[in-house]
Amino acid sequence: MRTPLVAGNWKMNGSRASVKELINGVVAGAKSLSGVDIAVCPSTIHLADVTAIAAGSNVAVGSQDACTELKGAFTGETSIEMIKDMGCQYAIIGHSERRTLYGESDDIVAKKFAVVKAAGVTPIFCIGETLEEREANITEDVCARQIDAVFAAQGDDAFAGSVIAYEPVWAIGTGKTASPEQAQAVHAFIRQHIAKHNADIAENTQILYGGSMNPANAKDLMGQADIDGGLIGGASLKADDFLAVCQAGL
Ligand code: 13P
C-alpha cells in the first residue's frame, strides 16, 4: 500500500512573519494526523525559518527547485547540497512554472532530477500538459516525453525513491480542477508507463495530483486508485485548508 503524500507548494508567497505563523499552524494541526505523509515547500529564503520550526515534527520540508550544479559560479542559484544541509527531505523539480516561465527543458529537468536523487533528497518530479495539448489529445504523449527524458538519463530504475506530481497546466491556479476520472486516467497511464521499465517501482511510487486541489475536491481526487496525494498551491497557504486536504488523504 502506498502512503498518501500531501505537499504544499507555497510558491513565491509570504513574509518571514506570515510563513512562521503558517508553519506553526501546520505543525500543530499535523500532530494528530497519522497515515499521511505531509510536506511543505517554502521559498528558498524561508527554508531556514521553516525547517527550524518543523524540526522533530511530522511535517517534512522541501525546496521548490534545485540547481543542476553542485557548487561554484552560478549566481542566484541554490544547490541541492545547500538544500539538504538546511534539513530538506524533498525538492520539487520541473514545476510547469519553471518549465514555461524560466525555459527549463526536459533535459534540464532530468539533470536536476539526477542531482537531487544523488544527494539523497526525494525529487517531486512535476509533469503535465497545457490546455492546447489536452485539446489536441496529446496529454499522454506529453507526459511520456517528460518522463522519458528522466529514463534516458537515469535508466530503468530512475524513479525509485522519487515522487511524481501530475499537474495539468490548465488546472494550476485557475480554479479548474481535473475531474477525478480525468486525473485518474492520466495517473494510471503514468504508472503503466513506469511499469514498462520496472513494475515494482511503478507500484510503489507516490503519484500526486496538483491543480486547484482544495478541501472540497480533495477526497474525491485522492479516492482514485492511482492518485496518492496532492501537490497543493493556493490552498496550502492557509493552515486550516491545507490540514483539511491532509485529512482528506487519510
Ligand atoms: P494551485 O493549487 O494553486 O492550483 O497550484 C498547484 C500547483 O502548481 C502546485 O505545485
Side-chain angles (χ1 to χ4, degrees), residues 9 11 92 95 97 167 171-174 210-213 231-235:
N9 176 5
K11 306 194 179 182
I92 297 173
H95 192 280
E97 287 149 20
E167 300 206 303
I172 295 177
T174 57
S212 300
M213 197 190 257
L231 185 55
I232 322 298

Side-chain angles (χ1 to χ4, degrees), residues 43-92:
S43 157
T44 311
I45 202 152
H46 293 141
L47 282 176
D49 285 336
V50 172
T51 52
I53 293 171
S57 77
N58 60 338
V59 180
V61 181
S63 65
Q64 297 175 10
D65 188 24
C67 185
T68 51
E69 309 302 323
L70 290 181
K71 66 172 184 169
F74 301 98
T75 302
E77 292 289 302
T78 308
S79 81
I80 192 62
E81 294 296 344
M82 295 169 178
I83 290 164
K84 187 180 172 186
D85 188 38
M86 198 53 77
C88 288
Q89 196 177 317
Y90 293 99
I92 297 173

Side-chain angles (χ1 to χ4, degrees), residues 21-242:
E21 193 183 326
L22 180 54
I23 185 62
N24 272 311
V26 171
V27 165
K31 272 187 197 146
S32 59
L33 299 177
S34 59
V36 55
D37 295 341
I38 301 173
V40 296
C41 302
S43 157
T44 311
I45 202 152
H46 293 141
L47 282 176
D49 285 336
V50 172
T51 52
I53 293 171
S57 77
N58 60 338
V59 180
V61 181
S63 65
Q64 297 175 10
D65 188 24
C67 185
T68 51
E69 309 302 323
L70 290 181
K71 66 172 184 169
F74 301 98
T75 302
E77 292 289 302
T78 308
S79 81
I80 192 62
E81 294 296 344
M82 295 169 178
I83 290 164
K84 187 180 172 186
D85 188 38
M86 198 53 77
C88 288
Q89 196 177 317
Y90 293 99
I92 297 173
I93 295 299
H95 192 280
S96 67
E97 287 149 20
R98 301 294 321 166
R99 292 177 188 265
T100 57
L101 302 174
Y102 300 98
E104 290 190 9
S105 64
D106 291 339
D107 288 346
I108 290 174
V109 175
K111 198 162 177 205
K112 291 185 170 190
F113 184 97
V115 296
V116 169
K117 263 194 74 175
V121 175
T122 303
I124 301 179
F125 173 69
C126 300
I127 59 173
E129 81 289 1
T130 63
L131 184 59
E132 294 72 39
E133 290 164 340
R134 173 159 285 265
E135 286 173 346
N137 266 322
I138 55 169
T139 296
E140 292 185 355
D141 299 339
V142 170
C143 292
R145 190 200 74 222
Q146 292 170 331
I147 291 169
D148 288 347
V150 173
F151 277 127
Q154 294 273 292
D156 284 340
D157 297 346
F159 289 95
S162 71
V163 174
I164 296 177
Y166 168 60
E167 300 206 303
V169 179
W170 48 272
I172 295 177
T174 57
K176 277 189 216 154
T177 317
S179 69
E181 296 72 26
Q182 272 175 325
Q184 165 57 25
V186 182
H187 281 234
F189 168 78
I190 293 167
R191 203 176 301 284
Q192 283 155 19
H193 194 72
I194 292 170
K196 286 183 213 153
H197 294 261
N198 185 318
D200 278 352
I201 292 171
E203 190 53 34
N204 289 312
T205 300
Q206 290 163 318
I207 307 180
L208 316 184
Y209 169 81
S212 300
M213 197 190 257
N214 59 41
N217 58 30
K219 209 165 183 65
D220 283 348
L221 284 160
M222 290 194 256
Q224 301 294 313
D226 289 291
I227 302 186
D228 309 312
L231 185 55
I232 322 298
S236 71
L237 296 173
K238 286 192 185 137
D240 287 351
D241 285 354
F242 181 64

